[in-house]
Amino acid sequence: MTKQEVAERFQIPIAILEEYESWGLCDSVRQVMDVWEYDDRDIERLSLIMTLHDIGFSKEETFEYMRLYLSERDTQAERLSMLNRRRSDSLDEIHFKQMQLDRLDYLRYEL
Amino acid sequence: MTKQEVAERFQIPIAILEEYESWGLCDSVRQVMDVWEYDDRDIERLSLIMTLHDIGFSKEETFEYMRLYLSERDTQAERLSMLNRRRSDSLDEIHFKQMQLDRLDYLRYEL
């Protein structure tokens, strides 16, 4: 499939596809006559990349995670550590927002 | 009290004090010999301004809220409506972050 076909069929933003290509991590994305050809494995990886973005990973963190994911050596512990760090940051953000809500409710109560 | 004294004694960022002065909302902040003089009522209002920032109000929303707060007419319903809107946005943000966390946990589970 071409980039355009992938973008339309799987609702993947062109920006994500270009990010993916720019990494040059995957030998499975092949350039044929100036057009990238995506196969099923690419789609699977792109789905993971979208999930990483969705859970709040930056571009750089997503790249790092995918580099580990596609590595030939065992990187499970490193990836788990990245996810755990993100999880801890997410929890902090949620607690901060909940504290904001408490202050807001106090202001409403005072009115 | 001068701006410097207020900033040090009440740990109010200079940026907030300058924002407050720039609004020109309060006749109680008096300019004496090129120096603003803050009284107790100003400190009370500045405390409210800091709370509004803390609950996630933008500069413009804080200004609008303070304009209503200092108005001579009854603005309680309008202020409550602003707080309710912010509350609803905060809840949406928390739910979004909780969904992120669920996706993240699923990724950890899959590892």
Side-chain angles (χ1 to χ4, degrees), chain B residues 6-109:
Chain B
V6 170
E8 280 166 21
R9 186 150 158 206
F10 299 98
Q11 302 288 310
I12 300 176
I14 290 283
I16 298 272
L17 294 171
E18 276 166 2
E19 199 175 298
Y20 181 58
E21 290 177 3
S22 76
W23 291 341
L25 283 175
C26 309
D27 49 16
S28 57
V29 181
R30 289 160 304 271
Q31 201 167 3
V32 181
M33 300 280 286
D34 252 12
V35 178
W36 293 93
E37 285 289 328
Y38 289 81
D39 63 17
D40 285 352
R41 212 160 50 151
D42 294 314
I43 306 303
E44 200 187 302
R45 288 165 181 175
L46 281 161
S47 158
L48 174 57
I49 290 170
M50 303 246 302
T51 301
L52 294 171
H53 278 293
D54 285 348
I55 64 172
F57 268 31
S58 70
K59 225 171 184 167
E60 291 71 26
E61 286 166 327
T62 305
F63 172 72
E64 176 60 14
Y65 190 96
M66 290 309 290
R67 198 185 58 77
L68 293 170
Y69 177 77
L70 297 168
S71 165
E72 276 169 22
R73 63 185 177 83
D74 179 13
T75 62
Q76 190 173 326
E78 287 166 80
R79 279 179 287 142
L80 186 59
S81 153
M82 282 189 80
L83 291 177
N84 286 343
R85 222 158 37 229
R86 178 77 282 242
R87 188 175 203 283
S88 162
D89 288 348
S90 281
L91 278 179
D92 285 348
E93 287 158 20
I94 289 173
H95 291 159
F96 176 76
K97 294 226 160 272
Q98 276 163 344
M99 271 171 46
Q100 277 190 325
L101 210 57
D102 288 343
R103 298 198 70 170
L104 198 156
D105 280 339
Y106 186 68
L107 217 53
R108 287 165 77 232
Y109 168 77

Side-chain angles (χ1 to χ4, degrees), chain A residues 47-48 50-57 65 76 79-80 83-84 86-88 90-91 93-94 96-98 100-101 103-105 107-108 111, chain B residues 47-48 50-57 65 76 79-80 83-84 86-88 90-91 93-94 96-98 100-101 103-105 107-108 111:
Chain A
S47 157
L48 175 57
M50 303 244 305
T51 302
L52 293 172
H53 277 295
D54 285 348
I55 64 173
F57 267 32
Y65 191 97
Q76 191 174 325
R79 279 178 287 140
L80 186 60
L83 292 176
N84 286 343
R86 177 79 284 246
R87 187 176 203 283
S88 161
S90 281
L91 279 178
E93 286 159 20
I94 289 173
F96 176 76
K97 292 224 161 278
Q98 275 164 344
Q100 276 190 325
L101 209 58
R103 297 198 71 169
L104 198 154
D105 280 339
L107 216 53
R108 287 165 77 233
L111 265 191
Chain B
S47 158
L48 174 57
M50 303 246 302
T51 301
L52 294 171
H53 278 293
D54 285 348
I55 64 172
F57 268 31
Y65 190 96
Q76 190 173 326
R79 279 179 287 142
L80 186 59
L83 291 177
N84 286 343
R86 178 77 282 242
R87 188 175 203 283
S88 162
S90 281
L91 278 179
E93 287 158 20
I94 289 173
F96 176 76
K97 294 226 160 272
Q98 276 163 344
Q100 277 190 325
L101 210 57
R103 298 198 70 170
L104 198 156
D105 280 339
L107 217 53
R108 287 165 77 232
L111 266 193

Side-chain angles (χ1 to χ4, degrees), chain A residues 28-43:
Chain A
S28 57
V29 181
R30 288 159 305 271
Q31 199 166 6
V32 180
M33 301 281 285
D34 253 11
V35 178
W36 291 94
E37 284 289 329
Y38 288 81
D39 63 16
D40 285 352
R41 214 161 47 150
D42 294 316
I43 305 303

